[in-house]
């Protein structure tokens, strides 16, 4: 309930253990205000459906079946379980942190494979709540407590990224707000970098390059970009993509040149968070350059970076491969190489072409542009038939 209130109001909730006990026992029959909003958000139904009286109405007769259902579901979903209040609190330690890190690595792996799926967003958000409930379940040193907050922030940042990738920008903004608060409590510069860097990408996709540059600048000004050139490289590469979206070719080329230099200076063996090691390398830098030059209309240069990206992508980067392939197809189409463009677009894996929101949108835009550039041609007919069959099977 407290996490729900943080999402809804932007301020931490103050629901206590006593509040929950009164709700379950029936002592509270007519929840009001923040308690009502939190209950309806957590259970995704009205107070009446939970067996409570709504404000301004007389209390209904007690429905024992509804009450039992509420207690059962509440026990399963409660973010602050009552068990610790009845038993001696345990001490949180390194094993708890390691378990959170393993689950975070699983979220990152699923994101690279499937990307943008609502189930990934919900899973990451639930794991953030689970990490916060762990905080309330026992004692911990300051160092361990900060690591738990950092894990919760990391999970929220993954939920944010899944929402960005799925074009659910309102959800992404909410996750970002919560993730920022958790990152501040953790005092972890790495997760702060991830959140603000994601923020820059989110605003770029929303068509707000000024906000994108401002958010990305927050990430780039963190001290770790001076300590590790690889973080500086990522910040610069994303800045280059933002310049591309804003139509500033000179600034984009300068940023990508600096990003490449910083990457060459970085130590590949330096210790880094799992999310950084999992995705940022030469292939990702070229992918961002592909994005920028496509936006700038420099299609030949965009295609060159696209082929470099595809040649260097690691096997687990399924989503990145689908996105880069679709962009290469668009760059080829804009250069008049229609047959190659259609062949590239048809090589996008079928699961991504029907399930990944960003890829689906890009392929539909490709089809519309193909119809504009080369209507009624053999490649256009081939694509139209392929697209019809592919998307029909997905419905």
């Amino acid at each position: 309930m407290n996490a729900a209130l943080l999402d809804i109001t932007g301020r931490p909730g103050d629901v206590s253990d006593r509040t929950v006990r009164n709700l379950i026992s029936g002592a509270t029959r007519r929840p009001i205000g923040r308690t009502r909003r939190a209950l309806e958000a957590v259970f995704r139904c009205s107070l009446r459906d939970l067996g409570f009286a709504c404000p301004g109405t007389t209390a209904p007769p007690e429905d024992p079946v509804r009450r039992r259902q509420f207690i059962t579901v509440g026990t399963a979903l409660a973010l602050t379980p009552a068990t610790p209040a009845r038993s001696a609190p345990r001490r949180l330690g390194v094993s708890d942190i390691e378990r959170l890190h393993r689950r975070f690595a699983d979220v990152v792996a699923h994101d690279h494979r499937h990307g943008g799926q609502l189930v990934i967003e919900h899973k990451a958000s639930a794991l953030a709540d689970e990490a916060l409930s762990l905080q309330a379940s026992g004692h911990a040193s300051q160092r361990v407590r900060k690591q738990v907050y950092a894990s919760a922030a990391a999970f929220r940042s993954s939920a944010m990224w899944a929402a960005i990738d799925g074009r659910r920008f309102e959800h992404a903004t909410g996750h970002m707000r919560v993730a920022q608060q958790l990152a501040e409590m953790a005092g972890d510069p790495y997760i702060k970098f991830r959140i603000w860097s994601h923020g820059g990408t989110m605003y770029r996709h929303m068509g707000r390059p000024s906000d994108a540059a401002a958010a990305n600048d927050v990430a780039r000004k963190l001290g770790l970009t001076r300590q590790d050139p690889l973080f500086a490289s990522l910040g610069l590469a994303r800045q280059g993509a933002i310049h591309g979206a804003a139509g500033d070719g000179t600034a984009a080329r300068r940023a990508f040149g600096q990003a490449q230099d910083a990457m060459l200076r970085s130590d590949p063996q330096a210790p880094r968070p799992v999310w950084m090691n999992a995705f940022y390398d030469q292939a990702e830098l070229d992918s961002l350059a592909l994005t920028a030059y496509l936006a700038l209309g420099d299609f030949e240069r965009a295609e060159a970076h696209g082929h470099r990206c595809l040649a260097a992508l690691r096997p687990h980067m399924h989503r990145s491969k689908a996105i880069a392939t679709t962009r290469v197809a668009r760059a080829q189409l804009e250069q008049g190489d229609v047959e190659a463009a259609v062949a590239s677009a048809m090589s996008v894996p079928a699961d991504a072409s029907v399930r990944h929101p960003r890829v689906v949108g890009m392929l539909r835009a490709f089809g519309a542009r193909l119809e504009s550039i080369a209507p009624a041609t053999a490649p256009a007919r081939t694509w139209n038939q392929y697209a019809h069959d592919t998307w029909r099977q997905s419905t």
Side-chain angles (χ1 to χ4, degrees), residues 291-323:
T291 302
Y293 292 121
L294 199 60
L296 289 165
D298 189 344
F299 302 117
E300 183 177 354
R301 193 182 301 227
E303 183 184 0
H305 280 285
H307 288 304
R308 284 182 60 184
C309 167
L310 291 170
L313 273 174
R314 287 173 277 178
H316 70 275
M317 304 293 282
H318 297 273
R319 179 207 42 215
S320 296
K321 182 178 181 181
I323 291 172

Side-chain angles (χ1 to χ4, degrees), residues 116-326:
Q117 299 299 314
L118 191 61
V119 66
I120 298 175
E121 178 188 346
H122 286 171
K123 179 65 174 177
S125 182
L127 286 170
D129 294 339
E130 186 176 317
L132 291 177
S133 72
L134 188 64
Q135 286 279 36
S137 70
H139 299 302
S141 67
Q142 184 180 18
R143 183 178 66 85
V144 169
R145 196 166 294 284
K146 284 190 172 186
Q147 287 181 298
V148 175
Y149 278 124
S151 292
F155 286 127
R156 276 288 185 169
S157 69
S158 284
M160 173 189 175
W161 179 251
I164 294 169
D165 213 18
R167 293 299 188 267
R168 298 180 295 276
F169 296 122
E170 185 175 351
H171 290 190
T173 303
H175 290 307
M176 179 179 179
R177 184 171 57 247
V178 178
Q180 288 168 334
Q181 294 171 335
L182 293 169
E184 287 299 324
M185 288 188 283
D188 186 329
Y190 294 101
I191 197 60
K192 288 182 184 180
F193 180 95
R194 189 182 198 222
I195 293 163
W196 282 105
S197 187
H198 281 350
T201 300
M202 177 182 73
Y203 290 126
R204 173 167 60 85
H205 286 308
M206 293 171 71
R208 295 163 55 181
S210 296
D211 291 334
N216 195 58
D217 277 344
V218 176
R220 291 178 56 212
K221 290 176 181 177
L222 291 169
L224 63 88
T225 61
R226 295 186 293 274
Q227 300 161 8
D228 188 341
L230 196 66
F231 282 91
S233 176
L234 175 55
L236 285 161
R238 283 183 164 162
Q239 198 77 356
I242 293 166
H243 289 314
D248 191 339
T250 300
R253 287 188 290 273
R254 181 171 60 248
F256 284 118
Q258 292 171 341
Q260 188 68 68
D261 291 343
M263 177 172 283
L264 293 174
R265 294 197 311 272
S266 67
D267 178 3
Q269 303 304 318
R272 297 184 180 97
V274 62
W275 57 266
M276 185 67 163
N277 289 330
F279 95 101
Y280 189 61
D281 54 12
Q282 184 64 53
E284 178 64 16
L285 196 160
D286 282 308
S287 176
L288 288 165
L290 162 62
T291 302
Y293 292 121
L294 199 60
L296 289 165
D298 189 344
F299 302 117
E300 183 177 354
R301 193 182 301 227
E303 183 184 0
H305 280 285
H307 288 304
R308 284 182 60 184
C309 167
L310 291 170
L313 273 174
R314 287 173 277 178
H316 70 275
M317 304 293 282
H318 297 273
R319 179 207 42 215
S320 296
K321 182 178 181 181
I323 291 172
T325 303
T326 306

Side-chain angles (χ1 to χ4, degrees), residues 326 345 348 352-354 358-368 383 391:
T326 306
V348 175
S353 64
V354 299
R358 186 157 31 138
V359 175
V360 171
M362 290 164 59
L363 287 174
R364 292 190 185 279
F366 171 86
W383 170 255
W391 285 319

Side-chain angles (χ1 to χ4, degrees), residues 9-29:
T9 68
R11 294 185 291 122
D14 56 1
V15 176
S16 67
D17 180 71
R18 179 187 297 276
T19 303
V20 174
R21 286 200 301 270
N22 288 341
L23 290 167
I24 292 175
S25 69
T28 299
R29 303 289 297 278

